[in-house]
Amino acid sequence: MAAAARMDLDGNPILPMTICMIGAGGFIGSHLCEKLMAETPHTVLAVDVYSDKIKHLLDPPSAEGQQARHPWDGRIQFHRLNIKHDSRLEGLIKMSDLTINLAAICTPADYNTRPLDTIYSNFIDALPVVRYCSENNKRLIHFSTCEVYGKTIGSFLPKDHPLRKEPEFYVLKEDASPCIFGSIEKQRWSYACAKQLIERLIYAEGAENGLEFTIVRPFNWIGPRMDFIPGIDGPSEGVPRVLACFSNNLLRREPLKLVDGGQSQRTFVYIKDAIEAVLLMIENPARANGHIFNVGNPNNEVTVKQLAEIMTQVYSKVSGEAPLEMPTLDVSSKEFYGEGYDDSDKRIPDMTIINKQLGWNPKTSLWDLLESTLTYQHRTYAEAIRRAMAKPVASS
C-alpha cells in the first residue's frame, strides 16, 4: 500500500524538492540533513568544505557479505567547495528549488581578533548566494543570528529601574525591536553588524526584485555534534561560545570561567526542536516567505552563572565524576576575549510570529537538552582520548 501523501499546514500535498544546503557539514546542517533524509522525500545538494558530521549519511552502511544501502540512497550528494571562490555554486543553486545558507563565522572571540574575516564571511561571501537566488528566481532560507538585536532597550536604564523588568524593554521582537550596537571600536559587534546588513540586503531584494526569502534568527541552538573540543571537534584556535567553553572545561576537569561574573542572561533551545521549526519553513513557503523568525526557547532562560551551575550538576550525573571543589572562576571580559569586547545583557525571543505562522513551540527543557548534549560530548571526548593513546609513539 502506498504511503499517505505528506501535507503542509494548509492541507496541500508536499511535493519533493531539491535543496541546495550551504554549510551542510556543520552542526545545524548535519541535523537538518538527517531530518530531511529520515522524514521527507527531498533531495539535498550538500555544500561544504568538510563532511565529517554527515559522513554517516553519505557512506553506505556496513552489512556483512552484501552491498547495503541507506533508505535515502541517491537523495544526498556532497559537493566539496568553498563559496568564496567556486564557479560551481551558481549551477547548484540553479539546479535547486530552494537554497539554505548556513555558512558563517560565528565564534565570539573571532569578532575581536578577526573582525575583517568575520565581516567578509558573514556579508561579502553571502552576497553571491543572495544574487544567484534573486537572478534565478530561487527561494532562499538565510540563517542570521539573534545577535542582530544587539543590546536591549532596558540595558540603557539604571540597574534598579522598574521598567527593566517590563517585557517590552527586553523581549526581542522581529518586527518591532530596534537593533542597538556598541561603538565602532567595540569590534565585538562586527558579526552582528555584518549579519544585519545581509538581512537588509535580502529584505531589499524581496521588496525590489521579488526574491522569496525567509530569515532565521537562532537563539543558542544546543545539542550533539556542536563544536566543543578545540582541535578535535572544532577550531584549534579561538574561544567558542559559552556552552562549548563550559563543556570543554568540564571535560578537562577545569573550573568554568564566568566572564564578568556571568550575569548576562541567555536562552537555549534543543537542536531537534529547532530543526522541526526549519522543516516547517521549508515545507510551508506560503506561510514562511517574507518573514523573519526568532527560533529559541524563552522558557529556558538562565544567567550564564546559573548555566554553569546546572551544567556542573548534569555533567556529574553523566560522567559519574564528583564536581570540582571550586567549579567556577571569575574572569574579566578583557582578560577572556581581549580589547574591544562588548556584550548584550539579555537575549529573550518573542515567539508570536513563528507560533502564528507555523504553529511551532519548543518542547525540551534546559536540563534535558544539557543531558543529551553532555552525554554525547563525554562519549566523544573519551573516544578521542582513547584514539590519541592508541597511536604508536615514534622511536627516537
Side-chain angles (χ1 to χ4, degrees):
M1 191 169 71
R6 297 172 66 253
M7 312 297 278
D8 68 16
L9 293 174
D10 296 308
N12 304 307
I14 297 169
L15 301 176
M17 68 180 85
T18 299
I19 300 168
C20 176
M21 191 186 303
I22 301 166
F27 163 54
I28 295 172
S30 69
H31 284 275
L32 184 53
C33 284
E34 273 186 350
K35 184 83 168 174
L36 291 166
M37 293 303 102
E39 298 183 19
T40 79
H42 309 316
T43 296
V44 173
L45 307 180
V47 175
D48 212 320
V49 289
Y50 302 110
S51 61
D52 295 1
K53 293 182 180 180
I54 54 172
K55 201 171 185 295
H56 60 295
L57 301 174
L58 301 168
D59 294 346
S62 56
E64 215 163 304
Q66 59 179 1
Q67 186 67 35
R69 296 163 69 92
H70 288 300
W72 55 81
D73 196 50
R75 286 201 295 112
I76 182 167
Q77 305 164 15
F78 182 66
H79 296 265
R80 191 180 304 278
L81 62 89
N82 188 325
I83 64 169
K84 287 182 184 180
H85 42 65
D86 201 306
S87 59
R88 292 175 292 170
L89 180 61
E90 184 174 13
L92 293 171
I93 289 174
K94 282 182 176 180
M95 291 167 57
S96 306
D97 304 295
L98 163 69
T99 294
I100 301 175
N101 190 9
L102 294 154
I105 285 181
C106 51
T107 303
D110 289 337
Y111 311 160
N112 274 3
T113 59
R114 298 168 58 202
L116 285 176
D117 283 347
T118 300
I119 292 166
Y120 271 78
S121 172
N122 293 291
F123 178 66
I124 304 296
D125 295 348
L127 289 174
V129 177
V130 179
R131 187 174 76 249
Y132 295 152
C133 288
S134 185
E135 289 175 352
N136 294 288
N137 297 314
K138 301 295 182 178
R139 187 176 164 223
L140 172 66
I141 295 179
H142 180 82
F143 273 68
S144 184
T145 172
C146 61
E147 295 207 14
V148 298
Y149 291 109
K151 301 184 178 191
T152 64
I153 300 172
S155 69
F156 293 90
L157 298 171
K159 286 196 173 180
D160 57 352
H161 199 291
L163 287 177
R164 285 183 75 122
K165 296 181 179 178
E166 295 297 320
E168 60 263 38
F169 285 84
Y170 67 84
V171 173
L172 302 171
K173 300 183 178 183
E174 302 96 323
D175 58 349
S177 296
C179 302
I180 308 171
F181 300 154
S183 60
I184 295 299
E185 72 256 21
K186 300 291 186 182
Q187 296 206 89
R188 181 256 185 279
W189 299 109
S190 58
Y191 172 69
C193 190
K195 282 290 196 180
Q196 188 202 132
L197 189 53
I198 199 69
E199 280 197 24
R200 291 191 181 279
L201 182 88
I202 291 167
Y203 197 91
E205 282 284 356
E208 291 192 28
N209 297 324
L211 173 66
E212 292 187 353
F213 72 88
T214 301
I215 292 170
V216 184
R217 291 179 179 166
F219 281 71
N220 296 306
W221 296 10
I222 302 303
R225 293 199 294 275
M226 62 183 292
D227 293 345
F228 69 99
I229 310 174
I232 296 175
D233 190 57
S236 57
E237 297 178 356
V239 181
R241 290 177 178 274
V242 61
L243 195 137
C245 275
F246 286 173
S247 298
N248 198 37
N249 294 144
L250 290 165
L251 291 160
R252 297 178 189 273
R253 302 286 293 165
E254 299 168 350
L256 279 60
K257 293 179 179 178
L258 299 178
V259 176
D260 297 335
Q263 295 308 304
S264 295
Q265 290 173 276
R266 297 290 182 267
T267 62
F268 298 88
V269 65
Y270 191 41
I271 183 66
K272 293 189 185 301
D273 290 349
I275 292 301
E276 290 279 359
V278 179
L279 185 60
L280 287 167
M281 296 174 206
I282 291 170
E283 297 190 328
N284 292 274
R287 289 172 175 250
N289 283 344
H291 284 286
I292 301 171
F293 291 117
N294 289 339
V295 182
N297 189 340
N299 298 320
N300 286 343
E301 180 197 356
V302 285
T303 66
V304 171
K305 184 176 181 180
Q306 289 170 330
L307 176 69
E309 292 166 353
I310 297 169
M311 286 185 70
T312 299
Q313 294 172 37
V314 173
Y315 186 72
S316 183
K317 176 188 174 187
V318 165
S319 66
E321 300 171 3
L324 296 176
E325 283 188 23
M326 293 185 63
T328 61
L329 176 69
D330 282 2
V331 296
S332 70
S333 55
K334 181 179 177 181
E335 179 187 352
F336 195 73
Y337 289 113
E339 290 283 359
Y341 190 75
D342 198 7
D343 207 353
S344 52
D345 55 327
K346 286 190 176 200
R347 291 202 203 114
I348 316 299
D350 181 88
M351 306 302 292
T352 305
I353 293 178
I354 195 167
N355 189 256
K356 177 186 173 186
Q357 293 300 119
L358 302 175
W360 179 81
N361 279 301
K363 306 182 186 83
T364 309
S365 70
L366 183 61
W367 180 280
D368 287 346
L369 74 84
L370 289 174
E371 186 168 5
S372 170
T373 304
L374 287 170
T375 298
Y376 169 84
Q377 292 176 340
H378 179 66
R379 184 179 69 245
T380 304
Y381 185 66
E383 289 169 356
I385 297 298
R386 277 197 298 272
R387 284 196 302 272
M389 292 177 67
K391 285 181 180 177
V393 179
S395 58
S396 55

